[in-house]
Amino acid sequence: MPSLQDTRLIETGFPLKETSLDSVHEKNVRHGHISTLHIWPARRPLAACRAALLTTLLRDPIDSERRTELLRKIGGTLKDDPDQPGKQVTQGGVLHWGNESSPVMDELREAIREVYPFEPPKVMDPFCGGGATMLEAMRLGCDVTAADLNPVAWFILKCTLEYPQRIGKERRKLPEFAHQLPHFLVDYRKAIKTSGAGAQTNIFEEQPVALDWHVRLWGHWVLEQTRADLAAFYPTVNGQTTVAYLWARTVTCKNCRATLPLLKTRWLCKKENKRVLLTMEPHQDRTGVTFGIDENVPKKGKGAKLREHDKKLGAGTISRAGAQCPCCGQIMPSEDLREAGKTGKMGQMMTAVVIEETSKKKGGRKPGKAYRLPTQDDLSVAEKAADHLTELYADIPFGLPDEPTPKSGGGASRAFSVDGFGLDQWHKLFTSRQLLTLGALVKYTRAVPVAMKKEGYADHWIEAIVSYLALGVDRQVDRLSALCRWDMGYTKIANTLTRFALPIVWDFAEGNPFSNSTGSYLSNLEWIARYIAHSLDATKQSSKSSIRNVNAISTTEENTADIVLTDPPYYDAIPYSALMDFFYVWLRRTIYGLSPEIDEAFKEPLAPKWDHNRNEGELIDDAARFEGNKEVSKKAYEDGMARAFEACHRALKDDGRLVIVFAHKKADAWETLVSAIIRAGFVVDASWPIQTEMGNRTRAQASAALSSSIWLVCRKRTELRPGWDNKVLKEMDEKIPERLRRFYNDGIQGPDFLWAAIGPALEAYSAYPFVKKANEPGAVMTVREFLQHARQRVVDFAVGAVVEKSNDGKAVDTAALDEISAYYILHRWSFGHEEVPVGVCIQFATSCGLDDRQLTVGYDLLAPGKARKKATTDEDDDGAEDEPLEADDKNTLRLKTWSQRSRDSLGYEAPGGRPVPLIDQVHRLLKLFRKGEVAKVDDFVREHGLRQHPRFGDYLQAVIELAKNQSEEHSLLSSLQNHMKRQGEQRAGKSTSNQLSIKA
């Protein structure tokens, strides 16, 4: 441990629950938030980054009262949420969105200066990605070094951190041509609270404005130039502006040769008060289909009945089996659809057009969306766009984006499926009209520097503004591809990267960038401008930022950083580089020539993946980069992570701290991380599981995805001698219970809780370069063995916590509990009866000294879940925003309910002649009690000695605690418990009566 004088606040205390609440709340924040600038996978919440930095920069006050006060100053206090009974929110502190500018922040910055009196603390992130960590470091007054190998990330970092700081408080007047942009004038006058028609013709001369308004102005300029070229391609029909054109991909039915539209659903709008359906009938000659629109679809039933009715009513042609032809009923399997795509035989047809309603609704509400069938003009205009592409892209650097899309495969590459359907070049992910529009936006964005020069802008203003406009093009790319879906619930266009994958989308939405509705260019521009306004304030506290496009392994700093805070890539979780090539190919065409530095970063056709000659590159586990060799890929990732942490070790000062953010549910990933930390020379001082994801995410519920990220605090190791396993395990046993108790009380559960124990356990294990086994000369405790010990302690605690809760808070010895019954409590406490990835079940089973086969085959405790869709075979519209599907997500298991365990031997005998688990006996008693066979219940209890069992009463109460209130199970269990109590009291009464008779 560090000396008391150098102990950091994070090593003794942390506002865990407050940080978690504000991090989850931040997911709902939009205006001005960093996430609205540009997509980057798995950005960490600003609240979590701010809390981690503050508590790492500040020393621990040592005195408990002062520590509590400091933590309260950072995290605030908890109070009941008036809008959500049973929920809590924070009050005060500096973590909640909007509190980052409170006066308390000035006090905390002053406290940081007292710790670092001579120069600002230096904070570094070698895997900086979207920039959340370093934005918060700059907000606290630190000098930062933000690095990332990926050129897209590096460019985002320049826009996130460098440009706002470089321009800072500079203001300049808007050029006179702003008067010629009426839409801009309206927005501007609203903002500065001016009005009137003759309208102050000199408003721009009198009021110099900040960077965000100049970005808005030049965005309007780009839009007007583009609109003048392309207005004919987005016609207004009957005075109604088009919001989106809806399309379906098509194939020719192999059976009847009809044109088969590929539709996931035919619902156009499904709201409480508005239900619109696309109807579909075969032509008379059955060569295709005719579409119609039903604008008043009635409801039938409620709840599940309504959902099932709507599912059948709105069914499209696509299912997991393939595509069913509406003309002959034949199903074309997925393999045939892939073949059609690869051979160029997959087409597309317009199915409907979404338009803006022209009149306001009752109550003054804004007009909504209406739907019509496409006209012949709609179809011909879309076809004509292709005629203009060659001329347009001839004047754009590198021409039409013909670089290859990522290939699907195992590991990280499972996120891609488009190439398997013939969409093997980036331009094929767009319609001709989309390519025409994006090309025009690129063309006029590239024309901005010359126009700005004429208006007298300085070079650093030109680079910054054009860079933000390039991000505007990127945002438009995300909303204007043939992988965008029409969201029938929100009635808006869902962006391409709704989740971090590129699956095939059968029926897609083509937006209108000139509309005032969903996915328009101006709305995308506004998100960027609002972030700029926020960042101008956030970055002004820092005097220095260095943005580097380098590999984490190649960091050259030595003994300069006070803190390294980083969120490294997680094994095969996200294929960052291949995924961000979606933006790379457009950025390269938009900003090429803006500066020598930018040209160097974007000189290659695609972003860097892995350099086999130098044995370095992007650190993810992707066997496709190693000719399919999974072992070589895994080793490259593991060695690379170790080398990256070694570079962090060199960069840190001797009293510096490394803070690592990690969130992965696979044991291999944790094993790699722990090995890399120890190999690099670090010891873990503290760890905190911060909840950063909303628990209601579809994927979190369906796949047991982690909702917490573990923040590990490390310092340089001074101990060079080896440790001994008996001493390390004893120290781990002393530390874990107290920390787990806090995590449990703060609401950490499920797989999050399993991995939250790793941090406290690591404090003992990582203190030594390696740990010897006391009873095995020459043997070493491996990381895998250590992690198994740590997980076992979690099992002991979790089972004990549930049993203890059922025993009125009294501590209970769980040592006598059999492994099967312990697993049942742990699994049900974590997941209930939901489907869980096999990998998680295996981890839990191993922690209990079992294997998954014992649980599925031997004891009939687990059953296979429903097969999940593979992202590589079908459209995946999961909707999760933060994480891709993991490899084992398609194989799931679920805990059987007591009524589903149907073996005749249940409760009477166990496999291999082993003792019968308590949970089997509880479930047998439930079955008997439900049938009303009370006498058999009493016989079973007597024959198995359950009244004398030291744990049966506690265990029965624990199962009751886990059962849902008012469920049949809860009712039966409670009745069974009461019956056993009465029987026990009667037996006790008879015994007393017999003793009195004998004495008489």
Side-chain angles (χ1 to χ4, degrees), residues 803-823:
V803 176
E804 180 181 321
K805 179 181 178 182
S806 68
N807 201 38
D808 297 326
K810 298 176 184 176
V812 175
D813 178 19
T814 61
L817 198 60
D818 63 90
E819 294 93 338
I820 297 293
S821 300
Y823 176 90

Side-chain angles (χ1 to χ4, degrees), residues 221-223 225-230 389 392-393 396 433-447 473 514 586:
W221 184 88
V222 168
L223 182 66
Q225 310 301 314
T226 306
R227 193 199 306 270
D229 284 2
L230 303 183
L389 294 180
L392 174 63
Y393 281 89
I396 292 176
R433 178 163 44 195
Q434 289 172 335
L435 289 170
L436 188 66
T437 302
L438 294 173
L441 289 173
V442 169
K443 171 185 173 181
Y444 288 112
T445 300
R446 292 184 56 79
V473 174
F514 306 116
W586 291 103

Side-chain angles (χ1 to χ4, degrees), residues 675-707:
S675 299
I677 290 172
I678 293 172
R679 177 173 155 186
F682 287 107
V683 56
V684 175
D685 259 354
S687 66
W688 302 98
I690 303 175
Q691 187 175 354
T692 56
E693 307 298 335
M694 292 182 285
N696 61 354
R697 290 181 306 148
T698 301
R699 184 173 172 257
Q701 295 171 342
S703 67
L706 296 182
S707 60

Side-chain angles (χ1 to χ4, degrees), residues 660-671:
I660 303 169
V661 188
F662 204 70
H664 209 295
K665 65 190 179 190
K666 289 185 180 177
D668 282 354
W670 278 98
E671 187 177 338

Side-chain angles (χ1 to χ4, degrees), residues 542-843:
S542 177
S543 60
K544 182 180 179 183
S545 64
S546 175
I547 315 300
R548 301 184 182 179
N549 182 209
V550 296
N551 196 312
I553 295 171
S554 306
T555 301
T556 57
E557 285 83 355
E558 290 191 16
N559 200 35
T560 58
D562 295 288
I563 295 176
V564 175
L565 170 57
T566 192
D567 180 13
Y570 304 155
Y571 242 92
D572 62 350
I574 299 175
Y576 294 91
S577 182
L579 193 64
M580 290 298 105
D581 280 345
F582 178 74
F583 296 116
Y584 181 97
V585 295
W586 291 103
L587 275 177
R588 186 170 182 243
R589 286 158 173 78
T590 307
I591 58 176
Y592 193 80
L594 189 58
S595 76
E597 183 185 36
I598 288 173
D599 290 355
E600 177 63 24
F602 286 87
K603 64 182 179 182
E604 299 296 335
L606 296 171
K609 307 297 185 294
W610 186 261
D611 188 330
H612 289 273
N613 293 326
R614 301 178 63 180
N615 194 33
E616 64 180 34
E618 183 189 32
L619 293 179
I620 62 168
D621 182 8
D622 186 358
R625 299 177 185 180
F626 299 90
E627 299 180 344
N629 193 317
K630 294 181 179 180
E631 291 302 316
V632 173
S633 176
K634 184 172 182 285
K635 188 175 188 308
Y637 171 80
E638 293 173 351
D639 289 346
M641 287 298 294
R643 291 162 63 193
F645 286 146
E646 287 167 2
C648 293
H649 192 281
R650 292 193 301 271
L652 274 174
K653 296 177 181 177
D654 289 341
D655 61 349
R657 298 294 192 277
L658 167 66
V659 181
I660 303 169
V661 188
F662 204 70
H664 209 295
K665 65 190 179 190
K666 289 185 180 177
D668 282 354
W670 278 98
E671 187 177 338
T672 296
L673 179 75
V674 172
S675 299
I677 290 172
I678 293 172
R679 177 173 155 186
F682 287 107
V683 56
V684 175
D685 259 354
S687 66
W688 302 98
I690 303 175
Q691 187 175 354
T692 56
E693 307 298 335
M694 292 182 285
N696 61 354
R697 290 181 306 148
T698 301
R699 184 173 172 257
Q701 295 171 342
S703 67
L706 296 182
S707 60
S708 296
S709 50
I710 313 301
W711 298 58
L712 301 173
V713 185
C714 311
R715 59 180 171 84
K716 291 186 175 182
R717 186 189 304 114
T718 56
E719 180 61 73
L720 299 179
R721 296 172 299 174
W724 294 94
D725 63 343
N726 53 355
K727 179 182 176 183
V728 166
L729 293 177
K730 180 182 178 182
E731 186 179 343
M732 181 178 73
D733 289 342
E734 292 171 351
K735 285 186 175 184
I736 277 188
E738 179 185 351
R739 298 290 288 280
L740 290 185
R741 172 63 59 186
R742 171 165 185 182
F743 297 162
Y744 178 72
N745 290 338
D746 282 338
I748 306 299
Q749 295 183 0
D752 300 280
F753 192 77
L754 180 68
W755 294 115
I758 300 302
L762 270 175
E763 294 172 30
Y765 184 77
S766 65
Y768 307 96
F770 59 95
V771 176
K772 293 184 175 181
K773 293 184 177 180
N775 297 325
E776 297 182 39
V780 173
M781 178 191 279
T782 65
V783 172
R784 178 167 295 183
E785 291 172 325
F786 157 74
L787 290 175
Q788 174 57 33
H789 281 291
R791 290 198 297 270
Q792 180 61 53
R793 299 307 185 271
V794 180
V795 173
D796 295 342
F797 179 89
V799 174
V802 176
V803 176
E804 180 181 321
K805 179 181 178 182
S806 68
N807 201 38
D808 297 326
K810 298 176 184 176
V812 175
D813 178 19
T814 61
L817 198 60
D818 63 90
E819 294 93 338
I820 297 293
S821 300
Y823 176 90
Y824 179 89
I825 292 287
L826 179 65
H827 186 122
R828 189 160 181 188
W829 176 68
S830 301
F831 311 117
H833 293 289
E834 297 293 326
E835 293 183 22
V836 182
V838 169
V840 177
C841 296
I842 291 173
Q843 291 169 26

Side-chain angles (χ1 to χ4, degrees), residues 37 43 128-131 134-135 138 146-148 150-167 211 460 463-465 467-468 471 531-532 535 539 545-549 591 594-599 601-602:
L37 180 66
R43 270 193 185 96
C128 201
M134 296 301 96
L135 177 66
M138 294 180 76
D148 205 287
N150 190 281
V152 176
W154 170 79
F155 186 71
I156 294 172
L157 290 172
K158 288 176 74 69
C159 295
T160 304
L161 310 173
E162 180 183 311
Y163 296 139
Q165 184 195 40
R166 188 195 299 181
I167 292 180
L211 175 63
H460 65 293
E463 182 180 333
I465 289 173
S467 294
Y468 286 120
L471 293 190
Y531 170 75
I532 296 170
S535 66
T539 59
S545 64
S546 175
I547 315 300
R548 301 184 182 179
N549 182 209
I591 58 176
L594 189 58
S595 76
E597 183 185 36
I598 288 173
D599 290 355
F602 286 87

Side-chain angles (χ1 to χ4, degrees), residues 147-335:
D148 205 287
L149 173 65
N150 190 281
V152 176
W154 170 79
F155 186 71
I156 294 172
L157 290 172
K158 288 176 74 69
C159 295
T160 304
L161 310 173
E162 180 183 311
Y163 296 139
Q165 184 195 40
R166 188 195 299 181
I167 292 180
K169 295 181 180 179
E170 289 185 36
R171 302 287 187 274
R172 61 171 291 132
K173 298 170 186 176
L174 292 167
E176 273 299 311
F177 75 80
H179 287 291
Q180 303 166 19
L181 300 172
H183 295 293
F184 174 79
L185 280 175
V186 170
D187 293 342
Y188 183 77
R189 286 187 175 122
K190 283 181 182 177
I192 64 172
K193 297 185 172 73
T194 64
S195 60
Q200 320 214 8
T201 55
N202 60 346
I203 56 174
F204 302 128
E205 297 176 7
E206 294 178 352
Q207 191 164 340
V209 294
L211 175 63
D212 55 312
W213 277 107
H214 289 268
V215 170
R216 287 185 179 96
L217 172 67
W218 286 100
H220 274 266
W221 184 88
V222 168
L223 182 66
E224 290 308 310
Q225 310 301 314
T226 306
R227 193 199 306 270
D229 284 2
L230 303 183
F233 291 93
Y234 295 91
T236 298
V237 179
N238 297 326
Q240 294 174 314
T241 301
T242 298
V243 173
Y245 301 95
L246 306 186
W247 296 81
R249 301 187 194 279
T250 62
V251 293
T252 299
C253 175
K254 295 183 73 173
N255 182 54
C256 70
R257 311 308 295 170
T259 299
L260 196 171
L262 304 177
L263 292 161
K264 287 281 286 186
T265 180
R266 290 183 291 108
W267 282 106
L268 300 176
C269 175
K270 195 161 66 166
K271 295 186 174 185
E272 185 64 28
N273 58 352
K274 186 173 185 178
R275 292 158 58 85
V276 183
L277 185 70
L278 182 72
T279 63
M280 180 176 65
E281 296 292 339
H283 293 162
Q284 285 188 345
D285 59 5
R286 307 191 86 77
T287 58
V289 297
T290 299
F291 292 113
I293 293 176
D294 185 348
E295 297 182 334
N296 295 291
V297 182
K299 291 183 179 179
K300 289 190 178 181
K302 295 181 179 180
K305 186 177 180 180
L306 175 63
R307 287 193 295 273
E308 185 62 27
H309 169 265
D310 285 354
K311 182 178 179 181
K312 291 180 179 178
L313 183 65
T317 58
I318 283 284
S319 67
R320 292 180 185 178
Q324 184 172 28
C325 178
C327 296
C328 70
Q330 184 76 20
I331 293 178
M332 286 184 65
S334 297
E335 291 75 14

